[in-house]
Amino acid sequence: MSNRVVVVGADAAGMSAASQAKRLDPSLEVVALDRGAYASYSACGIPYWVAGDVDDVDTLIARTPEEHRRRGIDLRLHHEVMELDTAAGEVRVRDLERGEDYSLGYDSLVLATGATPRRPDVEGIDAPGVFGVQTLGDGAAILEHLRTRDPKRAVVLGGGYIGVEMAEAMVRRGLQVTVVDRSPQPMSTLDPDMGALVRTAMCGLGIEVRTSTVVRSVETGADGWVRAVVTDDGEIPADLVVLGTGVRPGTDLARDAGLPLGHFGGLYTDLQMRVPGADGVWAAGDCVESLDLVSGKRMHAALGTHANKQGRTAGTNIGGGYATFPGVVGTAVSKVCTLQIARTGLREFECDAVGFRWFAVHVESTTAAGYHPEAEDVTVKLLAEQRTGRLLGAQIVGGDGAAKRIDACAVALWNRMTVEEMTALDLGYAPPFSPVWDPVLIAARKAADRLRTS
Amino acid sequence: MSNRVVVVGADAAGMSAASQAKRLDPSLEVVALDRGAYASYSACGIPYWVAGDVDDVDTLIARTPEEHRRRGIDLRLHHEVMELDTAAGEVRVRDLERGEDYSLGYDSLVLATGATPRRPDVEGIDAPGVFGVQTLGDGAAILEHLRTRDPKRAVVLGGGYIGVEMAEAMVRRGLQVTVVDRSPQPMSTLDPDMGALVRTAMCGLGIEVRTSTVVRSVETGADGWVRAVVTDDGEIPADLVVLGTGVRPGTDLARDAGLPLGHFGGLYTDLQMRVPGADGVWAAGDCVESLDLVSGKRMHAALGTHANKQGRTAGTNIGGGYATFPGVVGTAVSKVCTLQIARTGLREFECDAVGFRWFAVHVESTTAAGYHPEAEDVTVKLLAEQRTGRLLGAQIVGGDGAAKRIDACAVALWNRMTVEEMTALDLGYAPPFSPVWDPVLIAARKAADRLRTS
């Protein structure tokens, strides 16, 4: 009898694990279970689908269920895992369509249960017209709402990545948009000084930004649909509310099974994505915590790119190969209309929390030579450690060509470079792509100067 | 009496050195000499000026002579250094406007004499209608020619960076363009397989590409102006000929003074940009050879970004500070119309020459998530060392968003990363910016797989 691999959760992490394990060891029996109706879809693509950039939802599906099945994976949609018994090595599964439960033993189990949106714990948050942005079903529901109810005013709760992307989508759909965030600036994955630049740009796009504002309730009208969001700073009319309030690891199943969870509620794994202390159990994707290579602490970074890497790592090891996921440096890019936003490494308060004594520099430059017609403004902020000059973080906000510049910083961070070393980096230069000193180099130079004189 | 710094050549390298030395030590007497009419201009910007992207030539001038003089630099344009006497510590200068010669002693001398275009040694190459792309005067002459003689057919000699950029400029000016190159593919700073992609794109833009073709002569008409380029493969009619045939270090002055030159004819310097064996002599910019950190050999890389860094390094040391220019990894980016071209590290033949046993992988991917409307095709080639998997080079050709991806590879190369290590890099991901696996990561993954199975 062949070894059976059971995968719980059939999105990026789970199906990467399933595919890779099956590819490396075709003798494995691989069963992938998901309570939802879709597998292998790009949740990150939902804002672009809602915005109208993507016409056909099928293009968000990286691989169809039939393709997975043709590759020998027993993919079971609408099958929810209700219980995990690590001692017995089995899961209890509910076939949601038939209403039947059954048990499934495993030799290897991959927990890829994703993340759960944080919903503000206020009255009315489940009212019709309030939408998450987690699943293709959520995207379809928003589009249906736009089509059938012709909303005029959208309120987006949360000014993080999903929040600003959905704000853009709503603007492009012609709605009047208000973003509400409890932080002092939107995009709190950046330091507030850089978040302020995002705020200015958002306001310039006609988006109202209400920060340091707490939601009290969501009010519904006589028809039962959402009518307004009530905050500690007054009421905001709303025909549509989007939840961009972040996610937490979806680890209820793991917690109920007694698996240890970390500070952020995510699963702990070793470098191979194995869950220590639970025989044959692996985990990957938005339900795990990752090692932050800069701070040395665990963090929760729910991103498709990590999910894919982690899933592939688990699948490689299950399939008899060897791979590790060493951790992250906290890179993320986003945009709101023409403004690009990027970050990697630690923010100021994170440096403080770890005990780094740091300093920051800012530079304003352009994405191309100043005289080139495609030059756009860009602001780069670098954080570096005092004494050593080690790069600790980078944040970039600017026009076209700004965001992916973060990659050079991310690779520098990965390699524990100092800002002094970075000043000499051989980055690509030609007038359409960069000033003769790339903005990242100017920032490194400024940081190195500061280091010498401080 | 104050120390005198004499700078020969008042463009990027020379004026960076002059400015930085004066800034750090205002007591220095800094004299900058240039035989030309301009200082601190962006030669790299000339193709964009000719193309019409840049209206006002003044924007190509980073700092005017008056600004330099206000900063206390004694800038003397139209002053050519005829002779260098390192034993006496003086230069012989000719004031080209007055026709007078004088001697100038130095405590520190910065040789920033730039590069000289290679002109094919054929009859007619100096005919009217044949233009270099080195100086602002060259750019002005081409624009004047376009204005007054309304040329229809341009022939660009050389299919390297300048060649393709000038080909684009001529296409955008409405000319019929032929690029002639002796190599088997254009863009021979790439391997031929990647150069072939550039060729296809150029042809798609209506540019005729004649490779493995040697120029025999330039023919003039009855009016004395260029009429055709004669090659070993026939005659190509031409109303305008552009020289994009590369440059060699402009080191005649140094050679005549007995300073040792390297394999490529460039000056040798130490890490601080000091010329060993010549007291108080420094060098920077297109006239020097740089250490290639991948091959460990000297190379000649005539790029504005290196010139600025080297000049600043020399100036810092002359001004009493400490800085080094550790070398380059060979990064360069360019574009021809919508096609972006990037490279870093070694090409196949360079790996062979150094003795690396290598392998190559290619991947075709997109610059954004496949479903995103701004996704463009991109091809990434990586070269890695057998056994160790050390990255040796990267080449990228593709649409918008392709070229600056080379920076992640350049920083990886700088840090001697292996392709296996690169697979885990935390590069920025969001649908408008990258597929969930960045093309660079896919290539690294493919290379790591190849390494394990080879």
Side-chain angles (χ1 to χ4, degrees):
Chain A
M1 203 193 111
S2 72
N3 268 319
R4 183 186 288 151
V5 182
V6 172
V7 176
V8 188
D11 204 352
M15 294 318 289
S16 290
S19 306
Q20 181 71 350
K22 185 74 186 173
R23 193 172 73 81
L24 294 189
D25 183 355
S27 79
L28 290 173
E29 179 195 350
V30 180
V31 184
L33 306 159
D34 201 289
R35 63 183 173 200
Y38 302 94
S40 294
Y41 64 90
S42 171
C44 339
I46 295 171
Y48 306 94
W49 179 32
V50 172
D53 280 333
V54 177
D55 286 333
D56 183 359
V57 63
D58 287 348
T59 61
L60 295 184
I61 295 170
R63 201 171 275 178
T64 63
E66 293 66 39
E67 287 172 305
H68 283 302
R69 287 172 190 137
R70 264 202 301 279
R71 284 175 162 84
I73 295 168
D74 179 358
L75 172 61
R76 305 181 190 175
L77 298 172
H78 302 295
H79 282 238
E80 182 169 11
V81 174
M82 310 304 291
E83 208 183 323
L84 159 61
D85 184 341
T86 55
E90 64 172 37
V91 289
R92 190 81 193 148
V93 186
R94 181 165 298 164
D95 178 336
L96 298 173
E97 287 180 322
R98 302 185 182 199
E100 291 169 7
D101 287 12
Y102 61 97
S103 288
L104 193 64
Y106 63 78
D107 298 286
S108 299
L109 179 78
V110 179
L111 293 170
T113 44
T116 308
R118 286 179 209 277
R119 295 176 92 85
D121 184 20
V122 298
E123 206 179 326
I125 198 74
D126 296 317
V130 181
F131 301 95
V133 198
Q134 278 313 102
T135 66
L136 291 187
D138 291 335
I142 297 173
L143 284 167
E144 175 72 8
H145 189 71
L146 291 171
R147 213 164 16 238
T148 57
R149 299 190 58 91
D150 193 26
K152 305 291 183 211
R153 293 160 304 186
V155 172
V156 179
L157 304 185
Y161 290 107
I162 303 276
V164 300
E165 287 166 7
M166 287 306 295
E168 168 179 342
M170 295 293 114
V171 165
R172 290 172 55 198
R173 287 291 183 182
L175 278 75
Q176 187 184 319
V177 180
T178 305
V179 173
V180 179
D181 200 297
R182 59 195 314 157
S183 308
Q185 292 295 351
M187 215 62 211
S188 59
T189 53
L190 305 179
D191 285 322
D193 52 354
M194 296 296 280
L197 301 179
V198 178
R199 179 199 207 101
T200 303
M202 289 172 78
C203 295
L205 296 163
I207 298 168
E208 189 187 3
V209 181
R210 304 271 285 261
T211 47
S212 305
T213 301
V214 178
V215 174
R216 296 280 188 222
S217 68
V218 175
E219 302 292 318
T220 50
D223 58 358
W225 287 81
V226 66
R227 179 185 67 72
V229 171
V230 178
T231 74
D232 60 354
D233 187 34
E235 188 177 295
I236 310 166
D239 311 314
L240 189 163
V241 174
V242 177
L243 299 176
T245 32
V247 296
R248 59 175 184 79
T251 45
D252 293 353
L253 181 70
R255 190 195 56 228
D256 294 347
L259 297 180
L261 303 180
H263 177 68
F264 299 96
L267 277 153
Y268 178 85
T269 69
D270 70 7
L271 288 169
Q272 294 186 38
M273 304 312 294
R274 195 189 301 269
V275 177
D279 234 28
V281 180
W282 308 75
D286 290 359
C287 62
V288 308
E289 293 181 7
S290 298
L291 179 61
D292 177 340
L293 295 169
V294 186
S295 70
K297 294 169 76 172
R298 295 265 149 188
M299 71 180 313
H300 182 233
L303 274 176
T305 183
H306 303 327
N308 270 279
K309 284 188 193 129
Q310 292 167 341
R312 193 170 200 271
T313 299
T316 299
N317 294 313
I318 292 168
Y322 168 63
T324 64
F325 180 81
V328 303
V329 293
T331 312
V333 294
S334 188
K335 78 180 186 74
V336 51
C337 299
T338 55
L339 187 80
Q340 301 191 349
I341 305 159
R343 53 99 66 214
T344 191
L346 306 183
R347 287 164 284 181
E348 294 182 1
F349 81 89
E350 291 168 312
C351 291
D352 288 336
V354 182
F356 281 122
R357 192 176 288 183
W358 55 273
F359 65 94
V361 294
H362 298 75
V363 302
E364 290 176 19
S365 181
T366 50
T367 56
Y371 54 79
H372 195 274
E374 287 174 19
E376 306 242 18
D377 288 337
V378 61
T379 303
V380 178
K381 174 178 185 173
L382 295 185
L383 289 144
E385 189 184 16
Q386 285 187 23
R387 302 289 179 94
T388 69
R390 178 184 167 194
L391 180 70
L392 296 176
Q395 296 167 33
I396 303 177
V397 173
D400 191 34
K404 280 292 263 180
R405 277 185 153 81
I406 205 71
D407 286 351
C409 299
V411 183
L413 210 47
W414 191 276
N415 289 285
R416 299 176 71 104
M417 292 185 82
T418 67
V419 288
E420 181 77 44
E421 288 166 343
M422 286 175 69
T423 61
L425 281 173
D426 187 1
L427 304 184
Y429 161 64
F433 301 108
S434 175
V436 72
W437 291 92
D438 190 280
V440 168
L441 295 178
I442 304 174
R445 220 173 70 185
K446 189 167 177 181
D449 283 348
R450 174 78 60 83
L451 180 70
R452 278 193 294 271
T453 57
S454 67
Chain B
M1 204 194 111
S2 71
N3 268 319
R4 183 186 291 152
V5 182
V6 172
V7 176
V8 187
D11 204 352
M15 294 317 289
S16 290
S19 304
Q20 181 70 351
K22 185 74 187 172
R23 194 172 72 81
L24 294 188
D25 183 355
S27 79
L28 290 174
E29 179 195 352
V30 180
V31 183
L33 306 160
D34 201 289
R35 64 183 170 200
Y38 302 94
S40 293
Y41 64 89
S42 171
C44 338
I46 294 171
Y48 307 94
W49 179 33
V50 173
D53 280 334
V54 177
D55 286 334
D56 183 358
V57 64
D58 287 348
T59 62
L60 296 185
I61 295 168
R63 201 172 276 175
T64 63
E66 292 66 39
E67 287 171 307
H68 283 301
R69 287 173 189 138
R70 264 201 303 278
R71 284 177 162 83
I73 294 169
D74 178 359
L75 172 60
R76 306 181 189 173
L77 297 174
H78 303 293
H79 282 237
E80 181 168 10
V81 174
M82 309 304 291
E83 206 183 325
L84 159 62
D85 183 342
T86 56
E90 66 173 34
V91 289
R92 189 83 192 147
V93 186
R94 180 164 300 164
D95 178 335
L96 298 174
E97 287 181 323
R98 302 187 183 200
E100 290 170 7
D101 289 11
Y102 61 97
S103 289
L104 193 63
Y106 62 78
D107 298 285
S108 301
L109 178 77
V110 180
L111 292 171
T113 44
T116 308
R118 285 179 210 281
R119 296 176 91 86
D121 183 22
V122 298
E123 205 179 327
I125 199 73
D126 297 317
V130 180
F131 301 95
V133 198
Q134 276 316 100
T135 65
L136 292 186
D138 292 334
I142 297 173
L143 284 167
E144 176 72 8
H145 189 70
L146 290 171
R147 215 169 10 242
T148 56
R149 297 190 60 89
D150 192 26
K152 306 292 182 210
R153 293 159 305 186
V155 172
V156 178
L157 304 185
Y161 290 107
I162 302 276
V164 301
E165 287 166 7
M166 287 305 296
E168 168 179 341
M170 293 296 114
V171 165
R172 291 172 56 199
R173 287 290 182 182
L175 277 74
Q176 187 184 319
V177 180
T178 304
V179 173
V180 178
D181 200 298
R182 60 195 313 155
S183 308
Q185 293 294 350
M187 215 62 211
S188 60
T189 53
L190 307 179
D191 285 322
D193 53 353
M194 297 295 281
L197 300 178
V198 177
R199 179 198 207 101
T200 303
M202 288 173 78
C203 295
L205 295 164
I207 299 168
E208 189 187 4
V209 181
R210 304 270 286 262
T211 48
S212 304
T213 300
V214 177
V215 174
R216 298 278 188 222
S217 68
V218 175
E219 302 293 318
T220 49
D223 59 357
W225 286 80
V226 65
R227 177 186 69 71
V229 171
V230 179
T231 74
D232 58 354
D233 188 33
E235 188 177 297
I236 310 166
D239 312 315
L240 190 163
V241 174
V242 177
L243 299 175
T245 32
V247 296
R248 59 174 184 80
T251 45
D252 292 353
L253 181 70
R255 190 196 56 226
D256 292 349
L259 297 179
L261 302 181
H263 177 69
F264 299 96
L267 278 153
Y268 179 85
T269 70
D270 70 7
L271 289 169
Q272 294 185 40
M273 305 311 296
R274 194 189 302 268
V275 177
D279 234 27
V281 180
W282 308 74
D286 291 358
C287 63
V288 308
E289 294 182 9
S290 298
L291 179 62
D292 177 341
L293 296 169
V294 186
S295 69
K297 294 169 75 171
R298 294 265 148 188
M299 71 181 311
H300 182 233
L303 274 175
T305 183
H306 304 326
N308 271 278
K309 284 186 192 131
Q310 292 167 341
R312 193 171 200 270
T313 299
T316 300
N317 294 314
I318 293 168
Y322 169 63
T324 66
F325 180 80
V328 303
V329 293
T331 312
V333 294
S334 188
K335 78 179 186 75
V336 51
C337 299
T338 55
L339 188 80
Q340 301 190 349
I341 304 159
R343 54 99 65 216
T344 190
L346 305 184
R347 286 163 286 179
E348 295 183 1
F349 83 88
E350 291 168 313
C351 290
D352 288 336
V354 182
F356 281 123
R357 192 176 289 183
W358 54 273
F359 65 94
V361 295
H362 298 76
V363 302
E364 289 176 19
S365 180
T366 50
T367 55
Y371 55 78
H372 194 276
E374 287 174 20
E376 307 243 17
D377 288 337
V378 61
T379 302
V380 178
K381 175 179 185 172
L382 296 185
L383 289 147
E385 190 185 13
Q386 286 187 23
R387 302 290 180 93
T388 69
R390 178 185 167 193
L391 180 69
L392 296 177
Q395 296 167 34
I396 303 178
V397 172
D400 190 35
K404 279 293 263 180
R405 278 183 153 83
I406 205 70
D407 286 351
C409 300
V411 183
L413 210 48
W414 192 274
N415 289 284
R416 300 175 72 103
M417 292 185 82
T418 68
V419 289
E420 181 78 45
E421 289 165 343
M422 286 175 71
T423 61
L425 281 173
D426 189 0
L427 304 183
Y429 161 65
F433 300 108
S434 175
V436 70
W437 290 93
D438 191 279
V440 168
L441 295 178
I442 303 174
R445 221 173 68 185
K446 189 167 177 181
D449 283 348
R450 173 78 60 84
L451 180 69
R452 277 192 295 271
T453 58
S454 67

